[in-house]
Amino acid sequence: KNQVEQSPQSLIILEGKNCTLQCNYTVSPFSNLRWYKQDTGRGPVSLTIMTFSENTKSNGRYTATLDADTKQSSLHITASQLSDSASYICVVKGAGTALIFGKGTTLSVSS
Amino acid sequence: DTGVSQNPRHKITKRGQNVTFRCDPISEHNRLYWYRQTLGQGPEFLTYFQNEAQLEKSRLLSDRFSAERPKGSFSTLEIQRTEQGDSAMYLCASSLGSPGGTNEQFFGPGTRLTVL
């Protein structure tokens, strides 16, 4: 069964600290993996997209890694800001058009 | 604003009533998707259009749900005889489908449905 599992479910960190979110998937065949940021009550916004051949991709303070052999990805946030408080969703595209979403990690950044 | 827009943003209805939501995709995007998201969960795929053709439907899309994209531009999602379990955020996304492309989907702000 195609699944995307994320950990931790929730995370609280102090402003300025770094954090890493994890994503494991069992989707096969694999097309690409995306990380989205979703603010409360809003639609998801894409942070990164990685294909099979890409190991790392950065978008400002966000750096995503992908290990297609172990089917794991991580999202590292550097020097967190209050505005980083959101849900971060790992999404995998396999065959066909449908995306398979994880449940997300809820990040709270406090001052 | 050239992003994906959805209307209404919020809808409260009584059980048994019909509701219709609208999605306006990014103008040059040929693909349009509908998703449903409940609290604490990731979005779940409902259906997908390429231009005006509805090419894929999830088994989550019961007979009470119908989606259209009559001219290949905006789309509507109608829920008939709403049930309390239909309460959720309904998200629309669009993408420019091209061979070899990543087909990145851009999401709208969603319509939050509450069925009383």
Side-chain angles (χ1 to χ4, degrees), chain B:
Chain B
D1 185 354
T2 57
V4 179
S5 62
Q6 293 187 244
N7 288 288
R9 294 292 309 278
H10 304 273
K11 178 70 176 178
I12 300 174
T13 190
K14 292 182 179 179
R15 188 179 53 181
Q17 298 295 305
N18 300 342
V19 294
T20 300
F21 310 140
R22 175 178 171 126
C23 171
D24 287 89
I26 294 171
S27 58
E28 64 268 26
H29 284 184
N30 56 349
R31 294 183 178 179
L32 187 148
Y33 310 78
W34 284 99
Y35 294 88
R36 180 174 69 189
Q37 186 177 26
T38 53
L39 200 61
Q41 303 292 317
E44 296 173 298
F45 170 77
L46 291 178
T47 189
Y48 145 69
F49 291 84
Q50 177 148 320
N51 300 313
E52 66 275 10
Q54 189 173 17
L55 297 186
E56 197 170 334
K57 291 196 293 185
S58 162
R59 63 177 182 273
L60 294 175
L61 212 66
S62 75
D63 291 344
R64 297 184 297 106
F65 288 69
S66 62
E68 294 182 343
R69 194 183 183 198
K71 297 182 180 179
S73 56
F74 74 91
S75 175
T76 58
L77 177 68
E78 180 183 16
I79 308 174
Q80 296 181 326
R81 305 181 303 281
T82 52
E83 301 173 355
Q84 288 183 327
D86 296 332
S87 296
M89 174 81 88
Y90 290 84
L91 292 164
C92 174
S94 71
S95 71
L96 181 62
S98 59
T102 60
N103 192 32
E104 182 177 0
Q105 296 184 23
F106 294 83
F107 284 82
T111 294
R112 179 163 295 284
L113 172 66
T114 301
V115 181
L116 302 176

Side-chain angles (χ1 to χ4, degrees), chain A residues 21-74:
Chain A
L21 314 180
Q22 301 290 342
C23 173
N24 296 334
Y25 62 93
T26 59
V27 178
S28 182
F30 172 85
S31 179
N32 57 58
L33 184 145
R34 311 145 188 239
W35 283 93
Y36 282 88
K37 177 186 179 186
Q38 186 174 23
D39 293 313
T40 301
R42 307 300 298 270
V45 174
S46 179
L47 296 175
T48 63
I49 299 178
M50 288 184 292
T51 59
F52 184 89
S53 60
E54 295 175 295
N55 300 119
T56 185
K57 183 166 280 189
S58 292
N59 177 2
R61 294 180 297 103
Y62 302 101
T63 299
T65 65
L66 173 65
D67 185 335
D69 292 331
T70 61
K71 299 187 176 181
Q72 296 180 324
S73 176
S74 66

